[in-house]
Amino acid sequence: MAAATPLPAPTAPVPALGFFERYLSVWVVLCIVAGIGLGQLAPSLFQAVGRMEIARVNLPVGLLIWVMVIPMLLKVDFGALGEVRRHWRGIGVTLFVNWAVKPFSMALLGWLFIRHLFAAWLPADQLDSYVAGLILLAAAPCTAMVFVWSRLTGGDPAFTLSQVALNDTIMVFAFAPLVGLLLGLSSIVVPWATLLASVVLYIVIPVIIAQLWRRALLRRGQAAFDRAVERIGPLSIAALLLTLVLLFAFQGEAILRQPLVIAMLAVPILLQVLFNAGLAYWLNRRVGEQHSIACPSALIGASNFFELAVAAAISLFGFHSGAALATVVGVLVEVPVMLLVVRVVNRSRAWYAGGAA
């Protein structure tokens, strides 16, 4: 083991979470209350919204997902893929955890908790759907929020950008086959046409739009680009919250009948987040990566691209499905759990220095 060496202090103050991001879990809880209440008061309105579909794609939700995802994808610079070779060990850990461990560990935890330990307290006709939602959540690595988590830990910004760009590139090709494989192994029928359509609608097209928009904004200068990203950021969160209101309007009856279902779905999500973050952090230490690389690697291994998961769950299984509810629980726990992970990696900096090269 290498001798302990102090890690350099960050050269600039670490920015805090924005107002919307900091209280995201509060907004989600308010959306639960608002959605359930509105669903009970005006059921015919939400039924009409649910019928606005073309080829199993709900048009209002599809539009909201685009408003939600595209501003986040503006931050992704695929030119950063050239930086991958500089920290190949950290990138290797990230890819291993995100694609070889995370989806499979979630499928295992879903099988253990949903189909066995909690099965007696959950509706029998939704067990498969809950597992499917958990798989969708774990198969999509985080895109936008990982930039926030990385800054809070003093993570290397070039590495963070390169690993996000690489994960997004892989996700275009691997998301559908991986989800299809895990759903098949879980004995859940896979509507392949809808799954592939979800990839095109919610990954490929938004990436193309975001990259074209990014280039147009950057032609005006970096300052103009930064201002534009800051202005449209709240639109992304607002679209997410409105989507959640719609979801809970449809899920209200099920939640009122069994209010503990959200807590039971949260258990495998929490365990999966902590396990994968810890694994990535420890592996980076073992291979001798710097703390500024290990932090974003661990954080992207723990967090999820929940916007994509929500959209895919609605397209594949519908508003009323347990899959849609499971992905929304992922949104609910995202911020507090990730802040816990941020705190742990920051407080363990001295321990990490004792084993890093």
Side-chain angles (χ1 to χ4, degrees):
M1 180 179 293
T5 55
L7 291 175
T11 57
V14 178
L17 281 174
F19 179 76
F20 281 106
E21 292 89 350
R22 177 177 294 276
Y23 297 105
L24 180 57
S25 294
V26 176
W27 311 139
V28 173
V29 171
L30 293 177
C31 286
I32 293 175
V33 175
I36 292 174
L38 290 171
Q40 299 299 304
L41 291 173
S44 58
L45 172 63
F46 291 97
Q47 289 168 8
V49 172
R51 289 193 295 268
M52 297 172 65
E53 289 188 350
I54 296 178
R56 296 191 67 174
V57 176
N58 185 272
L59 298 181
V61 170
L63 178 61
L64 286 171
I65 296 297
W66 277 23
V67 175
M68 191 191 313
V69 171
I70 290 173
M72 298 181 177
L73 292 173
L74 274 176
K75 301 176 183 179
V76 179
D77 179 10
F78 287 97
L81 289 172
E83 296 288 321
V84 166
R85 289 173 296 179
R86 288 186 55 208
H87 293 286
W88 61 270
R89 291 173 297 183
I91 288 290
V93 169
T94 296
L95 296 182
F96 172 70
V97 172
N98 274 273
W99 298 105
V101 177
K102 184 178 177 182
F104 296 92
S105 63
M106 181 63 97
L108 176 62
L109 289 169
W111 170 83
L112 176 63
F113 283 95
I114 304 304
R115 285 187 169 163
H116 293 278
L117 297 180
F118 295 155
W121 296 280
L122 293 169
D125 61 334
Q126 291 288 354
L127 296 183
D128 285 350
S129 190
Y130 291 141
V131 174
L134 295 176
I135 289 171
L136 286 167
L137 194 63
C142 185
T143 292
M145 289 296 286
V146 73
F147 292 113
V148 177
W149 311 132
S150 179
R151 290 200 305 271
L152 292 174
T153 61
D156 186 306
F159 175 81
T160 304
L161 187 57
S162 64
Q163 73 169 0
V164 169
L166 183 57
N167 267 302
D168 282 0
T169 303
I170 293 172
M171 191 156 44
V172 170
F173 303 99
F175 180 77
L178 184 58
V179 169
L181 170 65
L182 291 173
L183 292 180
L185 291 175
S186 301
S187 302
I188 300 171
V189 176
V190 183
W192 275 100
T194 307
L195 181 57
L196 293 173
S198 296
V199 172
V200 173
L201 283 172
Y202 304 127
I203 303 178
V204 178
I205 294 177
V207 164
I208 293 172
I209 293 174
Q211 290 303 300
L212 292 175
W213 193 4
R214 176 186 173 87
R215 291 183 183 181
L217 289 172
L218 284 172
R219 289 193 195 105
R220 304 176 188 176
Q222 185 66 44
F225 173 80
D226 293 339
R227 285 195 301 270
V229 170
E230 184 177 356
R231 280 199 306 269
I232 64 178
L235 289 176
S236 181
I237 300 296
L240 170 64
L241 299 180
L242 186 52
T243 303
L244 299 185
V245 170
L246 289 175
L247 272 171
F248 282 106
F250 285 98
Q251 294 280 351
E253 287 292 338
I255 294 172
L256 290 174
R257 286 196 305 267
Q258 292 181 296
L260 289 178
V261 66
I262 292 178
M264 286 185 279
L265 288 172
V267 171
I269 296 173
L270 289 170
L271 291 176
Q272 181 255 354
V273 166
L274 298 175
F275 170 73
N276 285 290
L279 177 63
Y281 193 54
W282 176 76
L283 285 175
N284 273 285
R285 186 174 186 262
R286 291 289 296 175
V287 300
E289 270 293 5
Q290 303 167 23
H291 189 260
S292 61
I293 302 300
C295 290
S297 178
L299 294 164
I300 200 171
S303 52
N304 305 296
F305 191 0
F306 51 74
E307 298 86 356
L308 171 62
V310 170
I314 294 171
S315 296
L316 290 169
F317 301 100
F319 275 111
H320 292 92
S321 67
L325 181 59
T327 57
V328 170
V329 175
V331 184
L332 178 63
V333 304
E334 174 88 2
V335 171
V337 177
M338 292 308 300
L339 287 174
L340 172 63
V341 175
V342 166
R343 176 180 286 271
V344 170
V345 297
N346 281 339
R347 292 176 70 94
S348 63
R349 186 182 296 260
W351 167 83
Y352 191 93

